[in-house]
Amino acid sequence: MNSERYNFKIIEKKWQSYWDSKKVYSTKIDKNKKKFYCLEMFPYPSGKIHMGHVRNYTIGDVLARYKSLNGFNVLHPMGWDSFGMPAENAARQNNLDPKTWTEKNISTMKSQLKILGLSIDWDREISTCTPEYYKHQQEFFLELYDKGLVYRKEQYVNWDPIDQTVLANEQVINGKGWRSGAIVERKKLNQWFFKITQFSEILLNNLDKLKSWPNKVKIMQKNWIGKSLGCEIDFKVESSKNIKKIRCFTTRPDTLFGMSFLALSIDHPISEYYKDNKDFIEFKKLCSTTGTTEEAIANAEKIGFKTDLVALNPLNLENKVPVYFANFVLMDYGHGAVFGCPAHDQRDLDFALKYNLGIAPVVTPDKNDKNFKIKDKAYTGPGFIFNSSFLDGLKVPDESIPKTIEYLENKKLGTKKINFRLKDWGISRQRYWGCPIPIVYDENDNPHKVPKNQLPVELPKINQLESTGNSLDKLNEWKYLTIDKKKFRRETDTLDTFVDSSWYFLRFCSSNNKEYGYNLDEIKYWMPVDQYIGGVEHAILHLLYSRFFMQALGYKNEKFNFDEPFEGLFTQGMVCHETYKDPENNWVSPDDVITKDGEKFLKSNQSKKIIIGNSESMSKSKKNTIDPQKIIENYGADSVRLFILSDSPPEKDVQWSDEGIISSYKFIQKLWSLHNKILVEINKDHSKDTNNNLLIYCDKFIKKMTDNLDRFHYNKVIANLHEVYTFLTKEFNNSFKKETIINTYSKILTTMLPVIPHYASECLYSLKISNSRKWPSYNEENISENIINFVIQINGKKRGLIKVERDIDERKLLELVKKEDNLKKYLEGKIIKQIFVPNKLINLIIKQ
RNA sequence: GCCCUCGUGGUGAAAUUGGUAGACACAAAGGACUUAAAAUCCUUGCCGCUUGCGGAGUGCCAGUUCGAGUCUGGCCGAGGGCACCA
């Protein structure tokens, strides 16, 4: 009998080298098999893997292994999102080049991922910072250029003064750079753009097709694209200046009769007329102090600057209203001008109340209430138009908006217009460590494509980066070149790293294809990604850009047989840990904390008590991280996988706990001693089974495992494993035939393969059964037991539970109920109603 | 301010279509084994009276229903997202 402890160190290594040497997870096209493309968001090689990676890749690995057991041809690749700023920052700090730093990190992290026992096809590994990868990206850039989807324009950009780089709008968080945290400045630069707005409509509409995406993400993207249907209206202006009209965009033309002012953005062209006006300059200054982000301004006071202009209501020329500059109107949406209808827009109402402007309601919620009044809350709900001359009686909003637009168009007063909030994607970055843009400029500053045969434009090697700004721009021997005796200057900006990750899933389908970024046959077989798994922080940027890339690449020549890159999306929660501080308010790592008598102290100075803070997602800045490598070394990969899945559903945050990982480790040890007990039991070879409990339970168990794996309820999968352990420990006090044990137990072990692959492989191996690894099926008939617990309710309350035969009828059951001694006291009186749910419950309504 | 999501024991959570609330695990307490400790195993959601039984109970208040954690309305609280988007 083999009763020694389960030695994960030997066994995990053994199986990992077996999988490696046999290339078990390397994948090829097999048209006889259904494919499954399982992809986790590839990591940025920042140094070492963290628990977030462990969770992300464990979830993906469980799925990949499960699908593979179910007969799918599974593509499960991994790579490195290896361009980006941290490499530059680290290189500056350590006086080395970003390439060396990045390559070292990749090698560390790859070895760490390997000891997790992931079923990854490493033959397809890619790294975005290699010329083999970005060569194709440069080709795509030029393709998009030819298609008119790339353009250059001068624009105000978000300038990060610390990182000396430009940020996309999406990368500015509360007016600060998303990485450096510096307050963002406005600066005018020549920039390259991808014309993502060309696909606004399709990117919006396709969201409906994405049935297996979280609703939350779809709503975020929908809001981001921000389609609104409305109307452009030119307001005639009476003015001493040369101003004839002001164009506004509105989604509520039906409230025109309630107009009492017109408001302009401070950046509106008309502001030119006031640029020398001292009061206006003061006003502009005042606006800038309130900040530009919505949340800061949300509760800020609405303020305005009254001009000497007067605007005319196109539907009622008698109605002449003042024109203001106002802090709540944005220049980069619509035309930077709105008409104010205080009764039906809260901002307009706040503004009107401050400046004593008219508040005329034109929508009433109740058709008969013609005296509807507005106090301090604007009415934006449905209703009927009134006080509006020929518009009166129209139903809001279904009739009123289209009818008003129709009227305005007929009278040539306005034009129906669809507006999107989405802006084009600025892709230029003033950085060294990124993909070079394959463009050169002639002496007149006209851009030219770098010829295809000269691709890739390789990033020149640099020994030491300049302390700030773009080192590439200062590298004259690279920057200036001659083609056909003409002098050129290279584009020294590099591409936003979101470009790198916008097509990597295509590259994985044919990582080694030299001719082109992908091979169309491979794409047609593998794409789309069946399940994409990653953090919700990429809900908008990365996912939207990837969706755009598919549209852009497939655009016109329609090469792809799919619209959307990611069929299914799963966003996993974060890994959290308590935060610790010493009495001096410094963050303390869990490694430096010791527990004594239920209280925590600083390990190096045990008189210092630790202040325990909230559990927050693991981050270096709060020092509440746990190093996965150490945990794997101490407890094994299977224990870590088991724990990271066990406590919370994968889509929610999970708390890391030392007790939890120890408990998972112990559970595997317990499974192992049970396993050895079962091996002994098999050899006893009883001639027949004493009962059929094992068979019934096994089928029930497989059904539960199957259901829970299908629905991503991995925490319940772990619970099922605990249950089957408890069941088996009890059941093996009975005797079963060798055949029965092998049949059921090998199925049970097979279901463990996705979660704890090393352990389950070892157990199956020691059972000496054939190597065919197939997800077990279950017999639905076995699951329905013959004796069931029937719930007895009296007046809606559960009063008893009786064991009866399956499919018992109502009459028979009632007889049994009446015989039950402890139910008799509830049954005094007359049964006036009874509800019978077959095989479940009976509810007796009794009147006393 | 708007949009979305979520409120279940000391804690993380289960409860597929409305039908046995608290599976599974962590912590704590008690018990068993042991000379003792560790390890292991068992018991325990709350309140009330003697093992048993009874009562209340899924953020709060109503409603629908024979029956509500689950459905509807209102309120309170937490988290996430955002663009004052007209």
Side-chain angles (χ1 to χ4, degrees), chain A residues 64-82:
Chain A
R65 287 177 182 274
Y66 174 62
K67 287 292 173 184
S68 175
L69 286 165
N70 276 288
F72 287 89
N73 190 21
V74 174
L75 176 60
H76 188 210
M78 183 58 73
W80 310 96
D81 188 12
S82 48

Side-chain angles (χ1 to χ4, degrees), chain A residues 676-688:
Chain A
N676 287 303
K677 202 170 136 193
I678 290 172
L679 289 184
V680 173
E681 199 66 29
I682 289 173
N683 292 326
K684 284 185 186 164
D685 198 15
H686 301 278
S687 57
K688 66 182 242 226

Side-chain angles (χ1 to χ4, degrees), chain A residues 646-661:
Chain A
S646 64
D647 265 7
S648 299
E651 69 275 14
K652 287 180 74 174
D653 288 354
V654 66
Q655 306 294 320
W656 179 268
S657 83
D658 295 341
E659 291 80 12
I661 181 71

Side-chain angles (χ1 to χ4, degrees), chain A residues 389-408:
Chain A
S389 172
F390 53 92
L391 295 178
D392 281 0
L394 290 177
K395 205 175 165 200
V396 179
D398 300 347
E399 276 177 13
S400 63
I401 295 175
K403 286 260 167 79
T404 312
I405 293 175
E406 203 186 311
Y407 179 85
L408 289 165

Side-chain angles (χ1 to χ4, degrees), chain A residues 30-36 71-74 525-526:
Chain A
D30 178 350
K31 289 193 171 156
N32 297 319
K33 270 172 132 183
K34 273 183 88 176
K35 66 94 185 181
F36 191 89
F72 287 89
N73 190 21
V74 174
Y525 179 75
W526 290 114

Side-chain angles (χ1 to χ4, degrees), chain A residues 561-624:
Chain A
N561 55 338
F562 57 92
D563 292 346
E564 286 288 330
F566 312 119
E567 180 87 18
L569 175 70
F570 189 90
T571 52
Q572 98 270 0
M574 292 187 283
V575 185
C576 301
H577 193 282
E578 280 178 336
T579 47
Y580 302 125
K581 279 187 172 181
D582 66 15
E584 285 83 41
N585 213 32
N586 302 310
W587 298 108
V588 178
S589 155
D591 290 338
D592 301 327
V593 169
I594 192 164
T595 307
K596 279 194 301 189
D597 304 326
E599 296 207 79
K600 294 194 190 301
F601 297 90
L602 197 63
K603 211 183 241 172
S604 56
N605 180 352
Q606 301 193 5
S607 64
K608 288 195 175 178
K609 207 167 144 186
I610 292 292
I611 304 146
I612 302 174
N614 288 340
S615 183
E616 293 183 54
S617 75
M618 288 187 180
S619 77
K620 278 182 192 164
S621 62
K622 288 176 186 140
K623 291 197 178 174
N624 62 338

Side-chain angles (χ1 to χ4, degrees), chain A residues 111-130:
Chain A
S111 69
Q112 289 182 310
L113 290 182
K114 284 205 162 186
I115 58 169
L116 255 180
L118 305 175
S119 60
I120 282 167
D121 180 358
W122 285 104
D123 291 347
R124 293 174 184 265
E125 180 181 3
I126 56 170
S127 175
T128 57
C129 71
T130 58

